[in-house]
Amino acid sequence: MPTRLRTRASVAAGRLTAWFSRTARLGRGGVIGGRVTLRLDPKALRRLGRDRTVVIITGTNGKTTTSLMLTRALEALAEVAHNGDGANMPDGLVAALAAAPEAPYAVLEVDETYVPWVAEQVQPAALVLLNLSRDQLDRVGEVRMMERDLRAAFAGLSRTVVVANCDDVLVTSAASAAARPVWVGTGRRWSGDSVSCPRCGGAITHTDREWRCAVCAFARPEPTWNLDGDLVHTPGGRQVDLDLRLPGEANRANAALALAAAHCVGVPPHTAAARLRTITDIGGRYRTIRRTRHSVRLMLAKNPAGWAETLRVLDEDTPVVVAVNAHEADGRDLSWLWDVHFERLRGRQVVVAGERCADLAVRLCYAEVPHWSAPDPVSAIDTLPPGGVELVANYTAFRDLVDRLPDV
């Protein structure tokens, strides 16, 4: 069968499978549709990505947020193919590209473990590396192994601009191998996974916004883009006011990286920033919903670095429901609970929920945080007095809540 005909037939079969999945209410269809397409045509990703300007977004945290930001920015130029449902493995990427066959641009959120293969297939114009930290050790593995794999992949991408967060030591180590790095200073504060140098093992020392290895020459590069509060300083010496409608330093850092990537593919920073201001939630994150007597703000946190950022943006006077599951998509290993500074929750009303609420309750006991348990997160909301509630959940717990809460 000719190459193009095979790809078209594979995409058609994938779309039919996806339609059947949705019609039978077996799932949303994107993943299974992409899986069928790849099974019938293993080179479908390469062929569907051909003749497009592709940007890959990867990292431990912030992929979905940053990919949406960049998609909004690039839509100022033309239609954009985007896996906005968060399906960031090869089958989800194929489904996203197949759904927008005429889009000249594609923004693909890619799971870190698949970046070397995906990048080789689509040869992206730009790749954004946000951060690297521990995440799902039972699936992803040790973060320094991930850094080495990414470093080797970047060394082979001679035409790709790698937009990288130079305040993350592991990101800098990986992106230093790129032929065309663009460094962005974000001021990110998580350093729990980079106390030693990834090149020689020496201690990493921090002074103000600088860091360096105490033994070898490895050090923070000078960024050409800088985040300073709500302002982004661009290479041309100009300032862009973000004025985001999303809370927290993490989202401002994501926005700075998105602006730099958008600039690399032709969107002026002020144009991109204006489009970022239209974003109010990310797949339900940060959205506030009404449930009978309560106003509930929904937030997602999946690993120690993500929890650190989320705990900082919680309202200090508002009760909190914390929900944790441990499905395959979350990671079965819950040892990361002991790396989260739950002591920040002291002095609040706290309810623990989710399928692994008992594990979470033990952790909060050691953190000296008074709490009570209600395994069902929706019921947990109802145990609190009328008013505002902050609800923080990990991946599958959050996904289930988004599906349930609008209907209750």
Side-chain angles (χ1 to χ4, degrees):
M1 181 182 293
T3 296
R4 291 190 176 184
L5 181 58
R6 179 177 183 176
T7 301
R8 286 200 297 269
S10 301
V11 168
R15 286 177 171 168
L16 181 61
T17 305
W19 173 84
F20 178 80
S21 177
R22 290 191 298 270
T23 302
R25 297 187 177 181
L26 298 174
R28 298 178 182 176
V31 171
I32 187 63
R35 191 167 298 166
V36 167
T37 300
L38 275 174
R39 182 64 62 89
L40 296 174
D41 181 6
K43 295 183 179 180
L45 182 61
R46 182 189 298 272
R47 290 166 180 159
L48 290 170
R50 189 178 297 156
D51 301 324
R52 306 192 203 226
T53 299
V54 179
V55 182
I56 288 175
I57 310 291
T58 195
T60 308
N61 294 309
K63 294 186 290 293
T64 301
T65 300
T66 309
S67 66
L68 176 59
M69 288 177 169
L70 188 53
T71 298
R72 288 283 176 89
L74 294 189
E75 284 173 344
L77 302 177
E79 182 186 1
V80 181
H82 174 221
N83 54 331
D85 58 357
N88 58 21
M89 297 182 188
D91 38 22
L93 307 181
V94 166
L97 293 175
E102 303 301 322
Y105 294 91
V107 174
L108 301 177
E109 169 192 337
V110 180
D111 182 277
E112 307 93 282
T113 57
Y114 289 96
V115 165
W117 183 79
V118 172
E120 192 277 329
Q121 295 294 305
V122 302
Q123 292 295 307
L127 188 153
V128 182
L129 182 55
L130 302 166
N131 44 68
L132 289 172
S133 64
R134 286 162 288 163
D135 185 40
Q136 299 185 28
L137 293 176
D138 53 337
R139 183 181 71 83
V140 177
E142 204 277 325
V143 66
R144 289 174 180 254
M145 184 187 309
M146 177 64 60
E147 182 273 322
R148 289 191 292 271
D149 290 346
L150 290 174
R151 192 194 316 172
F154 294 164
L157 298 174
S158 60
R159 294 179 294 174
T160 301
V161 176
V162 175
V163 179
N165 172 12
C166 67
D167 286 306
D168 186 306
V169 174
L170 295 177
V171 164
T172 302
S173 181
S176 293
R180 302 173 64 192
V182 171
W183 301 112
V184 182
T186 67
R188 297 297 293 274
R189 292 181 286 185
W190 177 259
S191 58
D193 299 296
S194 53
V195 295
S196 62
C197 177
R199 301 302 180 90
C200 75
I204 294 291
T205 60
H206 294 263
T207 56
D208 296 327
R209 292 187 64 155
E210 304 297 320
W211 58 260
R212 65 177 54 254
C213 175
V215 177
C216 71
F218 185 54
R220 178 183 186 262
E222 186 64 30
T224 52
W225 294 74
N226 261 300
L227 176 64
D228 181 11
D230 214 37
L231 297 176
V232 176
H233 299 271
T234 74
R238 297 187 176 184
Q239 296 182 161
V240 179
D241 191 349
L242 292 175
D243 194 25
L244 299 179
R245 298 174 69 183
L246 300 174
E249 294 182 10
N251 283 319
R252 290 194 288 273
N254 294 335
L257 287 151
L259 290 188
H263 180 73
C264 290
V265 290
V267 182
H270 284 87
T271 301
R275 299 185 71 85
L276 267 54
R277 295 184 197 114
T278 66
I279 301 173
T280 57
D281 71 85
I282 312 291
R285 304 174 208 181
Y286 311 110
R287 187 175 67 194
T288 299
I289 60 99
R290 293 292 307 178
R291 170 165 170 80
T292 59
R293 306 173 302 154
H294 299 96
S295 175
V296 186
R297 183 166 68 148
L298 305 177
M299 282 175 280
L300 172 71
K302 299 181 291 186
N303 47 53
W307 279 90
E309 296 292 346
T310 299
L311 291 174
R312 289 190 184 105
V313 302
L314 296 181
D315 184 87
E316 294 182 359
D317 301 318
T318 303
V320 181
V321 174
V322 184
V324 171
N325 290 348
H327 295 196
E328 182 178 358
D330 305 301
R332 306 285 188 185
D333 180 2
L334 283 182
S335 61
W336 58 265
L337 288 172
W338 298 89
D339 297 321
V340 178
H341 192 57
F342 284 113
E343 288 78 4
R344 284 181 170 270
L345 296 177
R346 289 174 185 167
R348 309 169 191 243
Q349 289 180 298
V350 177
V351 190
V352 296
E355 296 170 3
R356 300 298 290 271
C357 63
D359 300 78
L360 180 57
V362 171
R363 172 67 186 97
L364 292 191
C365 284
Y366 278 87
E368 299 180 354
V369 176
H371 61 276
W372 65 91
S373 298
D376 177 39
V378 175
S379 299
I381 297 168
D382 296 335
T383 67
L384 289 164
V389 176
E390 302 273 40
L391 198 156
V392 189
N394 70 341
Y395 182 73
T396 64
F398 182 88
R399 181 194 62 196
D400 295 344
L401 280 163
V402 169
D403 289 340
R404 289 177 64 193
L405 280 172
D407 299 322
V408 294

